[in-house]
Amino acid sequence: MAKNMMHAVQYSGYGGGVAGLKHVEVPIPTPKKDEVLLKVEATGINPIDWKIQKGVARPFLPRKFPHVPGTDVAGEVINVGSGVTNYKVGDKVVVVLGGNGGGLADFAVAKESSIVSRPTEVSAAEAAALPIAGLAALQALTQLAGLKLDGSGQQVNLLVTAASGGVGQFAVQLAKLGNIHVTATCGARNMDLVKSLGADEVLDYKSPDGTALKSPSGRKYDVVIHCATGIPWSIFEPNLTANGKVVDTTPGVGTLMSVALKKITWSKKQLIPLFTDPKKENLEYLVKLVKEGKLKPIIDSKHPLSKAEDAWAKSIDGHATGKIIVEP
């Protein structure tokens, strides 16, 4: 490969799925003011990556074509733009790249304001698994559901659906830091894993009780962190306490319509859509938990950049256990 060129994976229009991804050689980007250039060590794949390709955020994202997807990146700083004061060449970091993407490449540029240092105790793959999924779980539990993760709050009964997926695995672990009683649903093959993450009760989502979301101990849920799709409000409603909240981490049009209807019916039970806000201090908190051994990112699989389409296909399939990672 020519000097100043790099390998990247991009797509040139909406739709196309796996077949729309193309391997290309493109110039290595140059960091502008307040930006750093990273040598990518690992990139986490999120469902939103291929949903944007499908057109879910059209016409706002991608901002332009061709587009190199991937936002959750762990890497090493190899160049800094003017004005960068907190990071230097050689620093190991993790970052959410935002709407411009760029993670499925050998190198990526990132804004200094969004970068978090990665300690040696946290591997590149673990760091790349954290941002969008971990931040979604943290924001859902604390900001939207109002739960305390330091154990100081009241006893709360929590349900996590799709608990073996990217967001679910973090929701279970974070909730247990707050001594919250966790009921979880997942596929039968992942029940032992979800128990090992700390869940108090685990339901096979295909079983009668799993389909009905019924707690084995007969509890009603104060909060549901809903990470699955296709479960109507009518299934949640009878399982909630009088002031129960369902936080939908993958809200679609149906969720937003249900939210509107809930407001009309004056019910104290709430359906709350989550739109993840990648705050730097929250990512720092998650990295610290991993460093301290209090949070363990579960990695489903690792794929070389040369086979990024395999990672894309696995994410689209929807049955990953934990996070899917692409490495150079």
Side-chain angles (χ1 to χ4, degrees):
M1 196 179 304
K3 196 178 175 212
N4 299 327
M5 300 293 282
M6 68 173 184
H7 176 202
V9 176
Q10 66 183 32
Y11 57 86
S12 297
Y14 292 115
V18 173
L21 300 180
K22 299 294 180 240
H23 292 264
V24 294
E25 280 187 32
V26 295
I28 295 172
T30 302
K32 301 186 179 80
K33 186 176 184 295
D34 300 325
E35 289 182 341
V36 305
L37 178 65
L38 303 179
K39 185 177 193 320
V40 176
E41 296 176 315
T43 300
I45 300 292
N46 294 294
I48 192 63
D49 295 329
W50 53 263
K51 288 178 182 177
I52 287 172
Q53 183 197 25
K54 279 180 77 172
V56 71
R58 187 181 201 158
F60 306 105
L61 295 173
R63 289 177 183 154
K64 65 178 195 297
F65 291 116
H67 175 69
V68 177
T71 59
D72 295 8
V73 169
E76 180 179 334
V77 177
I78 61 164
N79 194 5
V80 297
S82 63
V84 173
T85 56
N86 295 320
Y87 298 95
K88 62 185 186 305
V89 172
D91 285 352
K92 301 282 192 178
V93 299
V94 58
V95 64
V96 182
L97 295 178
N100 290 328
L104 289 185
D106 291 330
F107 301 91
V109 286
K111 287 184 167 52
E112 180 185 27
S113 59
S114 60
I115 294 172
V116 169
S117 296
R118 172 171 71 84
T120 53
E121 296 91 341
V122 182
S123 73
E126 286 176 323
L130 274 177
I132 293 296
L135 291 168
L138 181 62
Q139 189 179 333
L141 288 164
T142 57
Q143 184 185 326
L144 298 185
L147 302 181
K148 291 182 165 43
L149 303 187
D150 59 3
S152 67
Q154 295 175 300
Q155 179 61 56
V156 170
N157 293 321
L158 173 75
L159 171 68
V160 179
T161 62
S164 58
V167 178
Q169 56 147 334
F170 290 123
V172 171
Q173 294 182 71
L174 290 168
K176 291 314 294 179
L177 294 177
N179 296 324
I180 292 162
H181 185 279
V182 176
T183 305
T185 70
C186 63
R189 68 189 171 93
N190 289 321
M191 290 176 72
D192 287 343
L193 168 69
V194 172
K195 278 180 189 155
S196 77
L197 298 179
D200 300 282
E201 306 175 323
V202 183
L203 292 162
D204 172 359
Y205 78 97
K206 288 185 176 175
S207 70
D209 279 355
T211 303
L213 303 180
K214 289 208 175 314
S215 160
S217 57
R219 295 164 193 262
K220 300 276 189 186
Y221 308 117
D222 301 293
V223 175
V224 178
I225 305 300
H226 179 36
C227 307
T229 54
I231 301 176
W233 175 258
S234 58
I235 301 289
F236 289 116
E237 206 271 340
N239 292 297
L240 296 173
T241 57
N243 296 305
K245 297 176 183 174
V246 177
V247 180
D248 191 343
T249 66
T250 57
V253 174
T255 298
L256 301 178
M257 286 176 67
S258 296
V259 169
L261 286 170
K262 296 304 305 155
K263 286 189 163 52
I264 292 164
T265 57
W266 310 107
S267 168
K268 289 184 177 176
K269 299 178 182 182
Q270 289 180 277
L271 177 61
I272 307 168
L274 169 72
F275 300 100
T276 305
D277 178 14
K279 290 185 175 165
K280 176 171 174 165
E281 60 267 31
N282 287 348
L283 185 53
E284 286 173 334
Y285 171 69
L286 294 173
V287 170
K288 180 170 172 281
L289 290 178
V290 177
K291 178 188 174 183
E292 294 171 352
K294 295 176 180 173
L295 185 67
K296 177 158 184 55
I298 304 301
I299 308 294
D300 173 273
S301 53
K302 296 178 182 178
H303 306 262
L305 183 59
S306 60
K307 298 243 180 91
E309 53 272 25
D310 292 350
W312 207 252
K314 182 137 203 181
S315 183
I316 291 171
D317 181 54
H319 293 288
T321 301
K323 292 289 297 185
I324 300 163
I325 303 294
V326 174
E327 299 174 321

mmCIF file of all heavy atoms in Angstrom, residues 134-155:
data_model
loop_
_atom_site.group_PDB
_atom_site.id
_atom_site.type_symbol
_atom_site.label_atom_id
_atom_site.label_comp_id
_atom_site.label_asym_id
_atom_site.label_seq_id
_atom_site.Cartn_x
_atom_site.Cartn_y
_atom_site.Cartn_z
ATOM 1 N N GLY A 134 -22.490 0.456 26.538
ATOM 2 C CA GLY A 134 -22.316 0.745 27.956
ATOM 3 C C GLY A 134 -22.955 2.057 28.358
ATOM 4 O O GLY A 134 -23.603 2.166 29.405
ATOM 5 N N LEU A 135 -22.779 3.066 27.511
ATOM 6 C CA LEU A 135 -23.375 4.381 27.797
ATOM 7 C C LEU A 135 -24.895 4.318 27.757
ATOM 8 O O LEU A 135 -25.572 4.959 28.560
ATOM 9 C CB LEU A 135 -22.859 5.417 26.787
ATOM 10 C CG LEU A 135 -21.378 5.794 26.924
ATOM 11 C CD1 LEU A 135 -20.913 6.575 25.705
ATOM 12 C CD2 LEU A 135 -21.126 6.591 28.193
ATOM 13 N N ALA A 136 -25.446 3.526 26.838
ATOM 14 C CA ALA A 136 -26.901 3.361 26.764
ATOM 15 C C ALA A 136 -27.427 2.735 28.052
ATOM 16 O O ALA A 136 -28.431 3.194 28.621
ATOM 17 C CB ALA A 136 -27.281 2.501 25.562
ATOM 18 N N ALA A 137 -26.760 1.679 28.528
ATOM 19 C CA ALA A 137 -27.193 1.004 29.757
ATOM 20 C C ALA A 137 -27.109 1.947 30.956
ATOM 21 O O ALA A 137 -28.031 2.036 31.767
ATOM 22 C CB ALA A 137 -26.338 -0.244 29.992
ATOM 23 N N LEU A 138 -25.999 2.673 31.045
ATOM 24 C CA LEU A 138 -25.799 3.594 32.170
ATOM 25 C C LEU A 138 -26.832 4.717 32.161
ATOM 26 O O LEU A 138 -27.439 5.045 33.191
ATOM 27 C CB LEU A 138 -24.381 4.176 32.108
ATOM 28 C CG LEU A 138 -23.986 5.141 33.233
ATOM 29 C CD1 LEU A 138 -24.024 4.440 34.578
ATOM 30 C CD2 LEU A 138 -22.593 5.728 32.973
ATOM 31 N N GLN A 139 -27.059 5.305 30.994
ATOM 32 C CA GLN A 139 -28.017 6.401 30.875
ATOM 33 C C GLN A 139 -29.438 5.912 31.161
ATOM 34 O O GLN A 139 -30.225 6.600 31.832
ATOM 35 C CB GLN A 139 -27.935 6.998 29.472
ATOM 36 C CG GLN A 139 -28.731 8.289 29.286
ATOM 37 C CD GLN A 139 -28.579 8.846 27.861
ATOM 38 O OE1 GLN A 139 -27.574 8.620 27.191
ATOM 39 N NE2 GLN A 139 -29.582 9.557 27.403
ATOM 40 N N ALA A 140 -29.776 4.721 30.674
ATOM 41 C CA ALA A 140 -31.108 4.162 30.909
ATOM 42 C C ALA A 140 -31.365 3.959 32.401
ATOM 43 O O ALA A 140 -32.424 4.319 32.925
ATOM 44 C CB ALA A 140 -31.268 2.840 30.158
ATOM 45 N N LEU A 141 -30.374 3.403 33.097
ATOM 46 C CA LEU A 141 -30.547 3.093 34.519
ATOM 47 C C LEU A 141 -30.566 4.342 35.389
ATOM 48 O O LEU A 141 -31.408 4.469 36.287
ATOM 49 C CB LEU A 141 -29.400 2.177 34.986
ATOM 50 C CG LEU A 141 -29.443 0.731 34.497
ATOM 51 C CD1 LEU A 141 -28.095 0.063 34.702
ATOM 52 C CD2 LEU A 141 -30.539 -0.060 35.206
ATOM 53 N N THR A 142 -29.631 5.255 35.149
ATOM 54 C CA THR A 142 -29.454 6.383 36.066
ATOM 55 C C THR A 142 -30.279 7.603 35.671
ATOM 56 O O THR A 142 -31.084 8.099 36.449
ATOM 57 C CB THR A 142 -27.967 6.771 36.163
ATOM 58 O OG1 THR A 142 -27.463 7.089 34.856
ATOM 59 C CG2 THR A 142 -27.152 5.637 36.753
ATOM 60 N N GLN A 143 -30.115 8.064 34.438
ATOM 61 C CA GLN A 143 -30.760 9.308 34.023
ATOM 62 C C GLN A 143 -32.252 9.127 33.782
ATOM 63 O O GLN A 143 -33.077 9.917 34.242
ATOM 64 C CB GLN A 143 -30.081 9.841 32.758
ATOM 65 C CG GLN A 143 -30.624 11.185 32.287
ATOM 66 C CD GLN A 143 -29.989 11.598 30.959
ATOM 67 O OE1 GLN A 143 -28.823 11.311 30.696
ATOM 68 N NE2 GLN A 143 -30.758 12.251 30.111
ATOM 69 N N LEU A 144 -32.627 8.056 33.066
ATOM 70 C CA LEU A 144 -34.035 7.893 32.679
ATOM 71 C C LEU A 144 -34.852 7.146 33.732
ATOM 72 O O LEU A 144 -36.009 7.474 33.973
ATOM 73 C CB LEU A 144 -34.132 7.186 31.326
ATOM 74 C CG LEU A 144 -33.485 7.945 30.156
ATOM 75 C CD1 LEU A 144 -33.734 7.220 28.846
ATOM 76 C CD2 LEU A 144 -34.005 9.373 30.052
ATOM 77 N N ALA A 145 -34.252 6.118 34.354
ATOM 78 C CA ALA A 145 -34.987 5.362 35.378
ATOM 79 C C ALA A 145 -34.760 5.915 36.778
ATOM 80 O O ALA A 145 -35.480 5.561 37.717
ATOM 81 C CB ALA A 145 -34.587 3.889 35.319
ATOM 82 N N GLY A 146 -33.744 6.776 36.952
ATOM 83 C CA GLY A 146 -33.499 7.417 38.237
ATOM 84 C C GLY A 146 -32.915 6.506 39.300
ATOM 85 O O GLY A 146 -33.053 6.767 40.502
ATOM 86 N N LEU A 147 -32.258 5.407 38.887
ATOM 87 C CA LEU A 147 -31.695 4.465 39.859
ATOM 88 C C LEU A 147 -30.314 4.900 40.318
ATOM 89 O O LEU A 147 -29.560 5.526 39.572
ATOM 90 C CB LEU A 147 -31.613 3.065 39.243
ATOM 91 C CG LEU A 147 -32.948 2.484 38.738
ATOM 92 C CD1 LEU A 147 -32.737 1.088 38.165
ATOM 93 C CD2 LEU A 147 -33.989 2.448 39.846
ATOM 94 N N LYS A 148 -29.975 4.529 41.562
ATOM 95 C CA LYS A 148 -28.642 4.801 42.108
ATOM 96 C C LYS A 148 -27.819 3.523 42.027
ATOM 97 O O LYS A 148 -28.306 2.451 42.401
ATOM 98 C CB LYS A 148 -28.751 5.284 43.552
ATOM 99 C CG LYS A 148 -29.376 6.668 43.709
ATOM 100 C CD LYS A 148 -29.398 7.087 45.162
ATOM 101 C CE LYS A 148 -29.675 8.575 45.348
ATOM 102 N NZ LYS A 148 -30.704 9.121 44.517
ATOM 103 N N LEU A 149 -26.577 3.641 41.566
ATOM 104 C CA LEU A 149 -25.729 2.457 41.386
ATOM 105 C C LEU A 149 -24.719 2.285 42.518
ATOM 106 O O LEU A 149 -23.833 1.438 42.429
ATOM 107 C CB LEU A 149 -25.002 2.534 40.040
ATOM 108 C CG LEU A 149 -25.893 2.675 38.804
ATOM 109 C CD1 LEU A 149 -25.076 2.577 37.529
ATOM 110 C CD2 LEU A 149 -27.007 1.631 38.807
ATOM 111 N N ASP A 150 -24.873 3.080 43.584
ATOM 112 C CA ASP A 150 -23.940 2.968 44.710
ATOM 113 C C ASP A 150 -24.559 2.218 45.885
ATOM 114 O O ASP A 150 -23.964 2.130 46.969
ATOM 115 C CB ASP A 150 -23.479 4.362 45.167
ATOM 116 C CG ASP A 150 -24.642 5.252 45.600
ATOM 117 O OD1 ASP A 150 -25.800 4.765 45.589
ATOM 118 O OD2 ASP A 150 -24.391 6.419 45.947
ATOM 119 N N GLY A 151 -25.759 1.646 45.666
ATOM 120 C CA GLY A 151 -26.399 0.880 46.728
ATOM 121 C C GLY A 151 -27.177 1.712 47.727
ATOM 122 O O GLY A 151 -27.723 1.177 48.691
ATOM 123 N N SER A 152 -27.257 3.018 47.514
ATOM 124 C CA SER A 152 -27.892 3.907 48.500
ATOM 125 C C SER A 152 -29.396 4.056 48.296
ATOM 126 O O SER A 152 -30.082 4.622 49.126
ATOM 127 C CB SER A 152 -27.240 5.291 48.454
ATOM 128 O OG SER A 152 -27.520 5.931 47.216
ATOM 129 N N GLY A 153 -29.899 3.566 47.174
ATOM 130 C CA GLY A 153 -31.320 3.748 46.880
ATOM 131 C C GLY A 153 -32.191 2.690 47.551
ATOM 132 O O GLY A 153 -31.703 1.802 48.248
ATOM 133 N N GLN A 154 -33.501 2.793 47.342
ATOM 134 C CA GLN A 154 -34.439 1.801 47.868
ATOM 135 C C GLN A 154 -34.301 0.510 47.067
ATOM 136 O O GLN A 154 -33.792 0.503 45.953
ATOM 137 C CB GLN A 154 -35.870 2.326 47.748
ATOM 138 C CG GLN A 154 -36.149 3.545 48.612
ATOM 139 C CD GLN A 154 -37.553 4.078 48.356
ATOM 140 O OE1 GLN A 154 -37.898 4.454 47.246
ATOM 141 N NE2 GLN A 154 -38.386 4.101 49.400
ATOM 142 N N GLN A 155 -34.794 -0.600 47.652
ATOM 143 C CA GLN A 155 -34.792 -1.876 46.928
ATOM 144 C C GLN A 155 -35.700 -1.749 45.697
ATOM 145 O O GLN A 155 -36.847 -1.326 45.799
ATOM 146 C CB GLN A 155 -35.288 -3.004 47.832
ATOM 147 C CG GLN A 155 -35.352 -4.370 47.144
ATOM 148 C CD GLN A 155 -34.006 -4.864 46.654
ATOM 149 O OE1 GLN A 155 -33.061 -4.972 47.403
ATOM 150 N NE2 GLN A 155 -33.912 -5.138 45.364
#
